[in-house]
Amino acid sequence: MGSFFLDNATPDFLFIRPSGNPIDAKGFQEIWSSGDLVLQSGEVTKVYKFELLGSSDAMCVFTLG
């Protein structure tokens, strides 16, 4: 999961952790590759914003539960 964001995130990508502290794509990838976290299931619980920015760009702000 972490490598997807490392390869596809914008330079200003921020993941907001449950503690409220932001982390960039590289830090997000490092968390998932450490082996400390194991994703057993996941679902998008709320979509706050979805905007098409051009023919090949989009922005989505969501909560993943």
Side-chain angles (χ1 to χ4, degrees):
M1 176 185 246
S3 62
F4 174 83
F5 286 105
L6 188 59
D7 296 337
N8 296 288
T10 60
D12 58 349
F13 168 87
L14 287 177
F15 176 79
I16 308 301
R17 295 180 273 186
S19 65
N21 298 322
I23 193 166
D24 63 9
K26 181 167 176 42
F28 187 76
Q29 186 271 334
E30 289 171 354
I31 287 174
W32 283 101
S33 65
S34 71
D36 291 338
L37 298 177
V38 177
L39 180 64
Q40 294 180 349
S41 68
E43 64 179 305
V44 174
T45 57
K46 184 168 183 174
V47 175
Y48 298 93
K49 183 175 188 173
F50 181 80
E51 185 177 337
L52 295 173
L53 303 173
S55 62
S56 63
D57 298 317
M59 175 182 66
C60 186
V61 179
F62 60 91
T63 298
L64 181 65

